[in-house]
Amino acid sequence: NAGVTQTPKFRVLKTGQSMTLLCAQDMNHEYMYWYRQDPGMGLRLIHYSVGEGTTAKGEVPDGYNVSRLKKQNFLLGLESAAPSQTSVYFCASSIGLGGAQYFGPGTRLTVT
Amino acid sequence: EDQVTQSPEALRLQEGESSSLNCSYTVSGLRGLFWYRQDPGKGPEFLFTLYSAGEEKEKERLKATLTKKESFLHITAPKPEDSATYLCAVQGPLGNNDMRFGAGTRLTVKP
């Protein structure tokens, strides 16, 4: 039981490049989330999903897109990376809407 | 606007020196308050959920309490392995889709 895994662990992009971050969970959770964590700030919700085939915007969705084609996977895409998107990205999942979230190990992204 | 403020930003303790971390919040319709522990380079790890004022939860050397405006994480006789950043998160009426995290308190326990 691996819990929540994220790929890749590190990535460096040039401004304007695109990439996709992959999150996978093996706990059969319905809800999945993408957060970003910046120094001195709390985790901020980018997008979330309440089930396979569904996605919704969180607090800071601009510049990101997501897809949930399979229940266990949640993808975060950056179509045209900007330096302001330099951050650590965390994926999380939960059984229900109000339950504790289980986080992945994070992806450190640098955009130059 | 919903806000979560944690204090202090950083705390250094000697092994065995008990202390408390504070999380003050403003939210309409609190659904739950969560405490997480985050080690360097890793994702947050769930510790506690508190749902109503007066509730308390304990786990080893940690005890979390909740009032209508704030929560405390009490650490009794800490050990070096308790060193980590502790995050507080407040859940509004919409659940996890409506969550606000504090910036965290970085705790260092010296042997």
Side-chain angles (χ1 to χ4, degrees):
Chain A
N1 189 339
V4 180
T5 58
Q6 293 183 231
T7 308
K9 289 184 168 52
F10 303 93
R11 185 72 186 267
V12 178
L13 289 179
K14 294 187 187 302
T15 297
Q17 288 185 320
S18 63
M19 76 163 295
T20 300
L21 281 65
L22 171 64
C23 175
Q25 53 96 4
D26 61 2
M27 297 175 285
N28 202 35
H29 286 173
E30 287 293 336
Y31 296 81
M32 296 187 75
Y33 315 84
W34 276 107
Y35 289 91
R36 61 178 289 172
Q37 187 176 41
D38 300 294
M41 301 183 71
L43 287 155
R44 291 182 292 168
L45 184 63
I46 303 171
H47 285 281
Y48 62 94
S49 169
V50 300
E52 182 179 319
T54 74
T55 63
K57 295 180 180 180
E59 182 185 359
V60 288
D62 294 342
Y64 306 95
N65 56 75
V66 288
S67 64
R68 184 123 180 248
L69 299 179
K70 294 182 179 180
K71 185 177 183 178
Q72 63 267 34
N73 295 337
F74 196 26
L75 305 180
L76 178 71
L78 285 73
E79 291 185 345
S80 179
S84 60
Q85 294 178 305
T86 293
S87 188
V88 181
Y89 292 85
F90 288 100
C91 176
S93 69
S94 66
I95 294 174
L97 190 62
Q101 295 178 67
Y102 295 85
F103 286 82
T107 295
R108 183 174 294 276
L109 174 67
T110 302
V111 183
T112 61
Chain B
E1 183 180 316
D2 297 347
Q3 284 192 325
V4 182
T5 304
Q6 291 189 247
S7 61
E9 287 186 15
L11 181 63
R12 295 169 67 93
L13 299 173
Q14 287 296 128
E15 185 172 1
E17 179 187 2
S18 302
S19 188
S20 297
L21 282 54
N22 178 263
C23 172
S24 64
Y25 63 89
T26 55
V27 66
S28 300
L30 177 73
R31 183 168 176 157
L33 185 142
F34 295 76
W35 282 99
Y36 289 86
R37 169 190 171 127
Q38 186 174 23
D39 292 303
K42 296 190 176 181
E45 177 186 345
F46 170 71
L47 292 173
F48 304 109
T49 310
L50 301 166
Y51 293 105
S52 57
E55 189 175 1
E56 299 182 351
K57 294 273 181 73
E58 283 189 69
K59 180 180 180 180
E60 296 181 355
R61 295 175 293 282
L62 300 177
K63 179 180 176 181
T65 62
L66 180 65
T67 71
K68 289 186 177 180
K69 293 184 178 181
E70 58 190 351
S71 176
F72 291 94
L73 185 64
H74 307 278
I75 303 177
T76 302
K79 297 182 178 182
E81 53 261 43
D82 294 322
S83 297
T85 295
Y86 291 85
L87 305 176
C88 168
V90 171
Q91 195 181 64
L94 301 179
N96 286 332
N97 312 335
D98 186 18
M99 188 84 94
R100 292 290 183 269
F101 280 83
T105 292
R106 188 173 66 254
L107 174 67
T108 304
V109 182
K110 294 286 192 179

